[in-house]
Amino acid sequence: MSTIALVTGASRGAGRGIACALGSHGATVYVTGRSETSQDHPLPGTIHETAQAVTEAGGKGIAVRCDHGDDRQVEALFQRIEAESGRLDICVNNAAAIYDELTTPGNFWEKPLKLADIIDVGIRSSYVASWHAARMMVPRGRGVIAFTSASGAAHYVYGPGYGTHKAGVDKMAFDMGVDLAGTGVIALSVWMGGLLTDRMKAMIAAESEKYGYLNDRLETPEFTGHVLWAIAQDPGNAKYLGHTIIGAEVAREYGILDAGGRQPPSYRESDNVWPLQQFERVIR
């Protein structure tokens, strides 16, 4: 029986890589995003190209155009998954509003206000998708809800919008973990390393002195997908409930290597940072 997965924001970048990795394990993967043609975004990649790549990798890719800032479109997406597949095993919340100005010099008030969109299409959209996913998974007693995150949750990266997004999804995973305890469904957030995406390649090429050091640390976009697959198949995955994990560290536990047999470094090693501590106190 094929694993049914959803990867949001999968036209390109991390989402595309995660979707393709899940496809390589034989999963049926619903890939969402707003890019349907090459004219829809300045960077290459569409949901249809990702769906085809998932299928070519050995799974079944299903492209669904969805603006994750529109709750009605998200509701229709989950209704379609329910109608076509009858269940959802893995939900990867990756959709976020990322603009080129995010990485340009300047303080937050000197940059466009649209950078705040990452709070809506990033934090809120992940909450909405997880709400729908939990309502499908909990009655079946199994499932994985994952958030793609990074070390910007614990130190300054690009400004308060980006940091708020990363810290927000880490906290969301923890709090959802409290509510999901005992259901068989787990929520977790994954710190990905720097990713060798088209956007990152362009950044390094444009500012090699600033970003060139990342070449020795970068992960392929597929790496996190293999980590999430291993977690989803692990009967003891309840140990990750509510946790924010560093993908490179968990990969070692499962013996997962990146392309070329590389073992990506952990933020703990490369930058002396790690996920923020959450406390066990619960107020209901």
Side-chain angles (χ1 to χ4, degrees):
M1 185 168 60
S2 174
T3 294
I4 308 299
L6 164 66
V7 182
T8 72
S11 299
R12 62 190 63 83
R16 176 185 172 95
I18 292 168
C20 289
L22 295 175
S24 73
H25 294 285
T28 294
V29 187
Y30 288 83
V31 298
T32 70
R34 293 180 296 175
S35 297
E36 291 194 277
T37 71
S38 59
Q39 287 73 44
D40 290 336
H41 197 279
L43 290 173
T46 70
I47 54 174
H48 300 292
E49 290 170 355
T50 298
Q52 181 179 349
V54 169
T55 301
E56 291 174 350
K60 179 181 179 181
I62 302 174
V64 182
R65 189 191 187 284
C66 181
D67 179 350
H68 282 272
D70 185 335
D71 290 355
R72 291 173 297 180
Q73 292 187 37
V74 177
E75 180 180 12
L77 163 68
F78 280 87
Q79 288 175 342
R80 175 175 174 178
I81 295 172
E82 179 70 51
E84 292 180 351
S85 299
R87 71 182 195 284
L88 181 64
D89 302 303
I90 303 172
C91 176
V92 182
N93 290 293
N94 177 72
I98 303 293
Y99 301 107
D100 290 338
E101 293 90 341
L102 180 70
T103 60
T104 57
N107 299 305
F108 76 91
W109 65 89
E110 298 168 323
K111 297 183 180 183
L113 186 57
K114 67 180 182 180
L115 295 187
D117 289 353
I118 197 171
I119 297 172
D120 291 323
V121 185
I123 298 177
R124 189 183 186 281
S125 63
S126 293
Y127 184 102
V128 173
S130 298
W131 184 86
H132 286 286
R135 291 166 75 91
M136 292 182 67
M137 293 175 175
V138 169
R140 296 184 58 246
R142 65 186 303 271
V144 173
I145 298 172
F147 304 88
T148 57
S149 187
S151 67
H155 65 91
Y156 186 98
V157 179
Y158 302 140
Y162 180 90
T164 296
H165 169 229
K166 300 308 181 187
V169 296
D170 287 1
K171 174 62 170 165
M172 198 178 300
F174 177 79
D175 287 355
M176 288 183 179
V178 172
D179 286 350
L180 289 169
T183 67
V185 179
I186 67 167
L188 75 157
S189 191
V190 184
W191 278 16
M192 303 182 293
L195 299 181
L196 192 59
T197 62
D198 290 321
R199 184 185 294 273
M200 180 61 75
K201 291 176 184 176
M203 288 170 55
I204 293 174
E207 299 183 78
S208 59
E209 291 186 2
K210 181 178 180 181
Y211 296 115
Y213 75 96
L214 291 173
N215 282 316
D216 294 331
R217 303 185 183 185
L218 295 176
E219 300 172 1
T220 66
E222 292 78 16
F223 183 66
T224 299
H226 294 302
V227 172
L228 290 174
W229 175 263
I231 290 172
Q233 305 310 307
D234 185 351
N237 63 18
K239 64 185 178 183
Y240 298 116
L241 177 66
H243 287 205
T244 294
I245 64 170
I246 299 176
E249 294 181 349
V250 174
R252 294 175 191 174
E253 296 178 18
Y254 290 112
I256 298 171
L257 297 175
D258 205 353
R262 290 183 62 250
Q263 177 63 69
S266 163
Y267 286 110
R268 200 183 306 268
E269 302 160 347
S270 61
D271 297 288
N272 198 34
V273 296
W274 50 86
L276 299 175
Q277 178 185 2
Q278 300 288 335
F279 295 93
E280 296 182 0
R281 179 170 168 77
V282 175
I283 299 175
R284 292 187 181 274

